[in-house]
Amino acid sequence: LKEAIAEKAEGAKILQVKSAEAEAEAKYLSGVGVAKQRRAIVDGLRGSIVDFSSGVEGTSAKDVMDLLLLSQYFDMLKDTAGDPNCKTVFVPSSKSLGDETRNALLQAESGK
């Protein structure tokens, strides 16, 4: 009986270790996936900037980035407004990048 209890405890320990290892591997693979996704987004943005800058005379990379960020912002507003669980939307009102960054950080903290 003592051996059976010891074997059962050892089996539970092995299951717990294997579960933790599987969870760690899943988190690692998720991180790799996120990194690849971000790399693909950056590559796509780079291509869009180059294509737009070369196709429209008088535009700079900053102009293109501003346009892309604005369109992404509007997409986010549309998606957020369409979510039935959304209760609050923060809309920045300042024209300063520093103020917008500070406000974004404060808003992120208030959402936790």
Side-chain angles (χ1 to χ4, degrees):
L1 185 62
K2 287 182 181 181
E3 286 182 31
I5 292 172
E7 290 293 325
K8 184 176 179 182
E10 185 64 26
K13 176 183 167 187
I14 290 171
L15 285 175
Q16 191 172 11
V17 168
K18 290 296 179 184
S19 175
E21 288 173 353
E23 184 178 348
E25 181 69 14
K27 287 180 180 180
Y28 169 77
L29 292 175
S30 176
V32 169
V34 168
K36 287 181 179 180
Q37 179 186 27
R38 288 180 180 163
R39 191 173 307 117
I41 290 169
V42 169
D43 290 344
L45 286 173
R46 184 180 303 118
S48 296
I49 291 169
V50 169
D51 292 345
F52 193 89
S53 293
S54 65
V56 178
E57 292 295 319
T59 59
S60 67
K62 183 184 180 331
D63 295 333
V64 178
M65 279 303 295
D66 289 344
L67 181 63
L68 287 170
L69 288 173
L70 186 62
S71 67
Q72 286 182 340
Y73 176 73
F74 286 138
D75 287 343
M76 180 276 306
L77 284 178
K78 181 184 73 166
D79 292 343
T80 304
D83 185 354
N85 296 322
C86 181
K87 305 290 186 247
T88 306
V89 176
F90 292 102
V91 180
S93 59
S94 72
K95 303 226 182 222
S96 164
L97 180 60
D99 286 344
E100 287 183 25
T101 303
R102 181 185 57 80
N103 288 339
L105 291 170
L106 290 172
Q107 291 165 10
E109 280 297 314
S110 71
K112 287 184 180 178

